[in-house]
């Protein structure tokens, strides 16, 4: 096979990451699950597929019968619970305040919500360079010490979060690397590649574990560790979702998940549920223990879904679609409660992250964009808090560091950029005006 044959056989994702501008069908890569009318399927056809929803089945109904934001789940009084489970909030102890004191606390909480910052103030801190082709994903380690990035150049790189120094170059994949995931203890890094393999790496040494995870029949597009780190979930171009035993490097369960390439997967915070999404426009919730599909979410626009993740409190699912929308779903009730717009996403698999601002009391959603910017929305109001500029091409990966006001972004310009909140004088002045 000569060089031209090798080039033509690569997936669209790899071609566009390398910037050669060739085109193909939307389903050959999660970075390019572009809409195609001849492959769109109606919701009614999918309803006959035999997949049964058992999660809150009494409330099942078509999204067409539900008005978005009809009952706002994220009102101002409860936005802070987005990151903190409030199940015990209504349980009164013997020392609980009286009704009058409780009313005063509620009033202060509402006043505080009304004075919340109107925008964030991220500024570019450092630009990390080293990848030879476009960067598909970037992830902070859970302990915050390192940043990992992966690229179409078939390498993974680990960087120091504080100074930006490159610590390791992980080489071993035979094709571009589309996805990475950190283990909860920050000791292991998983990578998924177009060579159909998943590799585990020792983050401290940069060395690969001896046994790769083999089983998928096509490109690996998404990975996520379980909260305990003993399981890994993967999504692939072969339309399947695999649950792996990390210790034995074997498949525990294979889920016939979708009818198009699987673009995104994630574990809920307690590990009991998995969410997956694909170019077929479906988002599915799975029981980790049984492999049963508990809920299928679909929007009336039926746009391909390229990336998905659970909210930090586990009550919502955030999904990126190729109609330039990011949607927040209440998956128990099966309805979309928020739609965030303002970015451009028609061709590539763009992802993002949840984060906090305003002293940790307010939540935001951040997303990459094909116009080279990063958009930050308030979770509740959907207002654009900030638009970050700096990349010179589509931004594919965005991650935030929990508890620290840092963002990491990556894109086709081959760079990783670190952003931090800057408390400048003009920002302080605006903050004081709101108090």
């Amino acid at each position: 096979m000569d060089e031209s044959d090798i080039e033509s056989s690569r997936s669209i994702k790899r071609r566009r990451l390398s910037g050669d501008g060739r085109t193909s069908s939307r389903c050959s890569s999660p970075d390019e699950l572009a809409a195609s009318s001849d492959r769109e399927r109606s919701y009614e056809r999918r309803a006959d597929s035999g997949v049964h929803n058992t999660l809150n089945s009494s409330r099942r109904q078509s999204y067409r019968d539900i008005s978005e934001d009809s009952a706002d789940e994220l009102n101002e009084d409860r936005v802070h619970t987005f990151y903190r489970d409030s199940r015990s909030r209504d349980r009164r102890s013997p020392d609980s305040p009286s009704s009058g004191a409780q009313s005063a606390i509620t009033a202060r909480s509402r006043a505080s919500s009304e004075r919340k910052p109107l925008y964030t103030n991220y500024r570019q801190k450092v630009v990390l360079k080293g990848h030879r082709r476009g960067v598909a994903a970037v992830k902070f380690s859970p302990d915050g010490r390192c940043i990992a990035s992966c690229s179409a150049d078939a390498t993974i790189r680990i960087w120091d979060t504080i100074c930006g120094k490159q610590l390791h170059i992980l080489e071993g994949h035979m094709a571009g690397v589309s996805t990475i995931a950190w283990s909860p203890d920050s000791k292991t890094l998983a990578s998924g590649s177009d060579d159909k393999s998943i590799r585990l790496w020792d983050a401290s040494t940069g060395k690969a574990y001896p046994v790769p995870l083999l089983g998928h029949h096509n490109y690996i597009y998404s990975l996520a560790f379980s909260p305990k780190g003993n399981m890994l979930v993967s999504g692939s171009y072969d339309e399947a979702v695999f649950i792996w035993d990390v210790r034995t490097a074997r498949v525990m369960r294979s889920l016939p998940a979708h009818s198009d390439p699987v673009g995104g997967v994630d574990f809920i915070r307690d590990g009991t549920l998995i969410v997956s999404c694909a170019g077929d426009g479906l988002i599915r919730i799975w029981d980790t223990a049984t492999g049963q599909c508990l809920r299928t979410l679909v929007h009336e626009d039926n746009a391909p879904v390229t990336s998905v993740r659970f909210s930090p409190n586990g009550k919502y699912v955030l999904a990126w679609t190729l109609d330039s929308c990011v949607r927040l779903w209440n998956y128990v009730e099966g309805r979309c409660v928020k739609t965030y717009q303002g970015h451009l996403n028609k061709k590539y698999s763009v992802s993002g992250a949840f984060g906090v601002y305003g002293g940790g009391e307010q939540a935001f959603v951040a997303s990459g964009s094909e116009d080279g910017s990063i958009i930050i929305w308030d979770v509740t109001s959907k207002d654009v808090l900030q638009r970050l500029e700096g990349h010179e091409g589509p931004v594919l990966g965005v991650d935030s560091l929990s508890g620290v006001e840092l963002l990491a972004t990556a894109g086709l310009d081959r760079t990783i950029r670190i952003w931090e909140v800057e408390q400048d004088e003009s920002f302080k002045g605006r903050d004081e005006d709101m108090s």
Side-chain angles (χ1 to χ4, degrees):
M1 181 181 290
D2 58 26
E3 184 176 348
S4 62
D5 290 333
I6 294 174
E7 181 70 18
S8 63
S9 67
R10 286 165 27 198
S11 68
I12 291 184
K13 178 174 184 177
R14 298 280 318 287
R15 283 202 290 261
R16 288 192 176 163
L17 281 174
S18 60
D20 57 24
R22 302 182 184 180
T23 60
S24 182
S25 66
R26 72 174 170 89
C27 293
S28 59
S29 168
D31 272 345
E32 318 213 22
L33 296 169
S36 175
S37 58
D38 62 336
R39 298 197 61 176
E40 289 183 352
R41 299 169 175 81
S42 68
Y43 175 56
E44 289 75 17
R45 285 180 58 192
R46 292 195 187 90
D48 297 330
S49 64
V51 177
H52 301 285
N53 295 327
T54 62
L55 182 63
N56 200 14
S57 60
S58 63
R59 299 184 182 179
R60 294 176 61 192
Q61 58 182 323
S62 169
Y63 176 80
R64 291 183 174 87
D65 297 329
I66 301 175
S67 173
E68 183 181 315
D69 293 336
S70 58
D72 193 347
E73 296 283 324
L74 301 171
N75 58 61
E76 296 290 345
D77 293 336
R78 296 198 295 172
V79 66
H80 63 285
T81 68
F82 198 71
Y83 267 70
R84 297 194 295 274
D85 195 341
S86 61
R87 283 175 293 183
S88 62
R89 197 170 62 174
D90 294 329
R91 300 175 187 170
R92 293 206 168 189
S93 66
D95 297 328
S96 296
S98 64
S99 59
Q102 188 66 42
S103 299
I105 292 172
T106 302
R108 286 197 299 269
S109 176
R110 289 178 178 174
S112 176
S113 296
E114 293 172 357
R115 296 196 304 269
K116 72 178 183 180
L118 299 179
Y119 66 101
T120 54
N121 194 39
Y122 282 96
R123 295 290 183 267
Q124 185 171 287
K125 175 184 178 182
V126 65
V127 180
L128 309 179
K129 298 181 179 180
H131 284 292
R132 298 184 300 276
R133 291 186 177 177
V135 185
V138 60
K139 298 286 184 182
F140 284 105
S141 63
D143 64 11
R145 296 180 179 179
C146 298
I147 300 168
S149 59
C150 64
S151 168
D153 64 11
T155 69
I156 304 101
R157 295 172 189 251
I158 299 178
W159 316 77
D160 183 274
T161 300
I162 302 300
C163 65
K165 178 183 178 182
Q166 183 173 279
L167 303 176
H168 301 290
I169 301 177
L170 313 183
E171 297 177 306
H173 283 293
M174 304 304 293
V177 183
S178 302
T179 178
I180 48 177
W182 285 96
S183 63
D185 61 7
S186 301
K187 294 180 179 180
T188 302
L189 185 67
S191 60
S193 170
D194 285 0
D195 65 10
K196 309 175 190 178
S197 73
I198 300 169
R199 288 185 174 271
L200 302 177
W201 309 81
D202 185 320
S204 63
T205 65
K207 303 296 183 182
Y209 288 18
V211 181
L213 280 60
L214 303 176
H216 279 295
H217 303 297
N218 222 314
Y219 316 126
I220 313 297
Y221 285 158
S222 185
L223 296 172
F225 272 98
S226 66
K228 293 182 179 179
N230 60 324
M231 292 184 291
L232 185 73
V233 62
S234 61
S236 168
Y237 181 85
D238 61 15
E239 304 174 2
V241 172
F242 285 1
I243 304 174
W244 303 83
D245 184 317
V246 173
R247 184 180 61 84
T248 63
R250 293 183 179 180
V251 176
M252 298 171 57
R253 192 176 299 277
S254 174
L255 308 178
H258 295 273
S259 59
D260 269 335
V262 179
V265 292
D266 194 21
F267 270 103
I268 198 170
R269 66 177 190 173
D270 64 2
T272 58
L273 299 177
I274 291 171
V275 62
S276 65
C277 67
D280 56 12
L282 303 183
I283 303 165
R284 284 186 165 146
I285 310 296
W286 307 87
D287 185 287
T288 303
T290 66
Q292 182 181 13
C293 181
L294 303 178
R295 171 70 75 187
T296 298
L297 309 173
V298 60
H299 192 268
E300 60 180 350
D301 294 340
N302 197 32
V305 190
T306 62
S307 184
V308 69
R309 62 170 49 198
F310 280 104
S311 64
N313 66 5
K315 297 180 180 179
Y316 304 92
V317 164
L318 193 64
W320 281 257
T321 50
L322 289 181
D323 56 357
S324 297
C325 291
V326 181
R327 294 184 174 90
L328 188 70
W329 291 83
N330 180 327
Y331 61 88
V332 174
E333 297 183 2
R335 62 188 181 89
C336 177
V337 296
K338 295 290 180 183
T339 298
Y340 308 98
Q341 295 177 299
H343 66 305
L344 178 63
N345 187 16
K346 300 288 188 181
K347 184 168 63 174
Y348 295 97
S349 177
V350 169
S351 66
F354 288 101
V356 294
Y357 73 105
E361 290 300 312
Q362 311 298 332
F364 70 70
V365 169
S367 174
S369 177
E370 291 170 8
D371 61 9
S373 63
I374 302 97
I375 315 300
I376 302 174
W377 298 273
D378 179 84
V379 166
T380 305
S381 68
K382 303 183 292 185
D383 292 337
V384 175
L385 299 172
Q386 192 174 2
R387 183 182 296 268
L388 306 179
E389 306 285 352
H391 283 279
E392 298 176 358
V395 180
L396 305 183
V398 178
D399 196 23
S400 68
L401 183 56
S402 178
V404 180
E405 294 177 316
L406 284 179
L407 285 179
T409 61
L412 296 191
D413 61 2
R414 309 178 186 182
T415 68
I416 301 100
R417 295 171 190 259
I418 310 303
W419 312 76
E420 66 178 349
V421 169
E422 180 180 281
Q423 191 78 5
D424 60 24
E425 291 303 319
S426 60
F427 183 79
K428 291 178 181 177
R430 289 194 186 185
D431 200 29
E432 291 170 358
D433 290 341
M434 292 184 288
S435 61

